């Protein structure tokens, strides 16, 4: 992080545009009574104001006060953070997911267009406008002001990536949610407001086609999400499930990558009724286990017959799960499309900051998974993490603020 801050502080290229030029070409425009002036001088109302007459307004909605947008001035940063997520949790295909405390950060500043990437993917991810974050920022902004283009040439992007790509930990969803959030924030939306998160969920789930990663990336915690089939902001709905204090998530992250598009294409289009019953019953038991803190049932509740047997065929998924359970993990499953395997430990009231018992058990499980991987020639690493109760966060700060 110190290295990153130094790079940000001494990047004169990003600040090569004169102050006069910046003032002459603002990223956003002032508002007055719900009106705002565009480059051509014509007034236009934002799409949310137009929509307000068709539905309810919120007391926290800035459009009620004519504050549709925020500026990103020279010397300011827009700072977004998004957690990693683990989808499916075994039987909850395309519906269940929870956030873990690995976070990617996205920082926007005034300056010549540039993308800097530090950490995961810094050598492989694109650093031009083909980067998925750029399109997501445009889409988030366009959701509020569809008739105006955000001047991307005046924004510098910095990505701090801790989520490994193509490993089943929601890296693409994190990029999507981070970009959409930044675009919405540049369009004046408060990411902590419920109606903004609701809109963000619709945009992100529509883009992905399923909500299992984006819902916990936005709201944090353990989320169960559905498609209601209704139009607009009522289409995707998510509900939080209680997460116990002291629970830990042990991740075995293989070195090889797995693309969700490829593993999804290998799944069957139809399944037998018996397989549907198998997964439905275990999904119900999984939710009840969390609701009642009865984690002994998780070794069965995390089982799946729809996607894991196919996605885990290329590496020792069963051996890794068996190893974790043998050392006391409550349950274990393929994280998302894989290849990461996640094992749940703790959660019975032991405080990870107050004693060593929860940590001891997590280390035991991690060591067992590493041993099983080595025995089966599956190179990788173990990471002990915790569920994250918070999802996306977005705020403005002074560019001199350390981060």
């Amino acid at each position: 992080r110190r290295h990153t801050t130094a790079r940000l502080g001494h990047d004169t290229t990003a600040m090569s545009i004169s102050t006069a030029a910046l003032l002459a070409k603002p990223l956003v425009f002032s508002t007055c009574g719900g009106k705002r002036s565009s480059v051509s001088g014509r007034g236009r109302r934002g799409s949310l104001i137009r929509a307000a007459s068709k539905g309810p307004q919120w007391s926290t909605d800035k459009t009620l006060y004519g504050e549709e947008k925020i500026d990103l001035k020279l010397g300011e940063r827009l700072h977004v953070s998004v957690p990693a997520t683990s989808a499916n949790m075994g039987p909850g295909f395309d519906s269940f997911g929870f956030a873990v405390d690995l976070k990617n950060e996205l920082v926007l500043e005034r300056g010549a267009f540039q993308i800097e990437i530090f950490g995961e993917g810094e050598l492989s991810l694109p650093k031009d406008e083909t980067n998925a974050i750029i399109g997501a920022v445009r889409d988030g902004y366009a959701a509020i002001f569809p008739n105006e283009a955000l001047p991307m040439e005046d924004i510098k992007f910095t990505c701090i990536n801790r989520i490994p790509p193509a490993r089943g930990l929601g890296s693409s969803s994190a990029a999507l949610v981070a970009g959409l959030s930044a675009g919405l924030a540049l369009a004046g939306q408060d990411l902590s407001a419920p109606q903004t998160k609701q809109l963000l969920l619709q945009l992100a789930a529509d883009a992905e086609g399923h909500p299992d990663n984006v819902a916990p990336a936005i709201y944090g915690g353990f989320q169960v999400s559905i498609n209601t089939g209704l139009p607009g902001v009522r289409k995707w709905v998510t509900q939080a499930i209680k997460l116990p204090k002291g629970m830990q998530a042990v991740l075995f992250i293989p070195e090889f990558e797995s693309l969700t598009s490829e593993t999804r294409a290998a799944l069957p289009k139809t399944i037998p009724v018996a397989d549907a019953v198998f997964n439905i019953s275990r999904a119900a038991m999984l939710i009840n286990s969390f609701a009642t803190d009865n984690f002994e049932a998780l070794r069965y509740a995390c089982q799946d017959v729809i996607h894991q047997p196919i996605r885990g065929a290329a590496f020792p998924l069963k051996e890794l799960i068996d190893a974790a359970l043998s050392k006391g993990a409550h349950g274990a499953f393929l994280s998302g499309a894989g290849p990461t395997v996640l094992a749940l430990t703790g959660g019975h009231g032991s405080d990870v900051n107050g004693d060593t018992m929860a940590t001891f058990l997590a280390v035991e499980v991690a060591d067992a998974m590493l041993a099983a991987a080595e025995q089966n020639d599956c190179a990788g690493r173990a990471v002990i993490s915790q569920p994250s109760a918070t999802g996306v966060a977005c705020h403005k700060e002074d560019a001199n603020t350390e981060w």
Side-chain angles (χ1 to χ4, degrees):
R1 180 167 294 198
R2 292 177 182 172
H3 174 68
T4 302
T5 304
R7 290 290 297 275
L8 287 171
H10 294 85
D11 191 349
T12 55
T13 303
M15 299 302 175
S16 61
I17 301 176
S18 69
T19 302
L22 287 169
L23 292 175
K25 192 177 184 181
L27 281 176
V28 297
F29 310 93
S30 62
T31 64
C32 180
K35 300 276 190 178
R36 67 194 205 95
S37 58
S38 63
V39 174
S40 62
R42 293 172 297 175
R44 185 185 294 120
R45 288 181 179 269
S47 61
L48 285 189
I49 289 183
R50 288 196 300 271
S53 61
K54 300 178 182 179
Q57 287 186 305
W58 297 73
S59 62
T60 53
D61 193 337
K62 290 186 177 182
T63 60
L64 287 176
Y65 312 104
E67 300 172 356
E68 297 176 35
K69 308 190 68 179
I70 59 173
D71 290 337
L72 184 61
K73 301 181 179 69
L74 185 65
E76 293 180 334
R77 285 197 298 246
L78 183 66
H79 197 149
V80 184
S81 66
V82 184
T85 50
S86 179
N88 303 324
M89 302 176 69
F93 182 70
D94 275 4
S95 302
F96 292 4
F98 76 98
V100 297
D101 63 352
L102 292 172
K103 293 181 183 288
N104 281 1
E105 296 178 74
L106 172 65
V107 176
L108 284 69
E109 299 177 89
R110 290 297 296 269
F113 177 80
Q114 180 183 9
I115 301 176
E116 288 191 309
I117 301 173
F118 300 93
E120 298 284 351
E122 63 181 4
L123 299 179
S124 59
L125 294 174
K127 298 179 182 178
D128 56 24
E129 293 205 17
T130 63
N131 189 295
I133 284 179
I134 304 304
V137 172
R138 284 197 176 102
D139 290 343
Y141 185 87
I144 308 303
F145 299 112
N147 298 317
E148 291 188 10
L150 183 64
M152 306 297 283
E153 67 273 13
D154 290 342
I155 308 177
K156 175 191 172 186
F157 297 83
T158 302
C159 304
I160 311 298
N161 294 341
R162 301 177 184 88
I163 306 172
R167 299 302 206 291
L169 289 169
S171 61
S172 59
S173 296
L176 174 64
V177 169
L180 289 172
S181 298
L184 288 169
L186 289 175
Q189 305 307 296
D190 180 0
L191 264 295
S192 65
Q195 75 275 19
T196 307
K197 286 189 175 182
Q198 184 184 33
L199 173 60
L200 177 58
L201 176 64
Q202 311 310 308
L203 296 172
D206 274 343
E208 291 246 299
H210 45 88
D212 49 353
N213 283 110
V214 297
I218 295 168
Y219 290 95
F222 175 10
Q223 298 288 328
V224 177
S225 309
I226 64 170
N227 181 344
T228 66
L230 297 172
V233 294
R234 297 175 296 168
K235 178 178 179 180
W236 300 100
V237 174
T238 189
Q239 188 172 38
I241 306 298
K242 183 186 71 170
L243 277 174
K245 180 181 179 181
M247 177 163 276
Q248 293 186 292
V250 182
L251 311 172
F252 176 76
I253 307 173
E255 287 185 359
F256 72 91
E257 296 183 354
S258 176
L259 296 177
T260 302
S261 58
E262 295 179 357
T263 61
R264 182 175 287 271
L267 299 178
K269 302 301 181 186
T270 60
I271 60 172
V273 171
D275 289 354
V277 171
F278 185 100
N279 270 47
I280 291 170
S281 60
R282 280 156 178 78
M285 183 174 286
L286 190 154
I287 292 176
N288 186 66
S289 295
F290 276 86
T292 62
D293 291 340
N294 182 17
F295 304 126
E296 287 74 13
L298 283 179
R299 65 173 48 236
Y300 306 108
C302 290
Q303 294 173 340
D304 163 85
V305 293
I306 293 177
H307 67 102
Q308 289 191 168
I310 298 170
R311 289 169 162 171
F315 73 106
L317 172 61
K318 181 181 184 302
E319 289 79 2
L320 290 164
I321 289 176
D322 289 346
L325 296 177
S326 72
K327 288 298 182 178
H330 303 311
F333 48 84
L334 186 68
S335 180
T340 293
V341 181
L342 190 152
L344 296 171
T345 65
H348 279 305
S350 182
D351 185 356
V352 294
N353 297 313
D355 59 50
T356 62
M357 195 63 220
T359 303
F360 172 82
L361 292 173
V363 171
E364 287 273 287
V365 170
D367 286 344
M369 296 175 79
L370 286 169
E374 184 177 2
Q375 291 170 7
N376 289 275
D377 298 319
C378 183
R381 58 194 170 104
V383 175
I384 299 174
S385 64
Q386 299 181 64
S388 173
T390 58
V392 63
C394 180
H395 67 274
K396 286 179 65 180
E397 62 191 15
D398 188 275
N400 295 319
T401 304
E402 291 188 9
W403 59 288

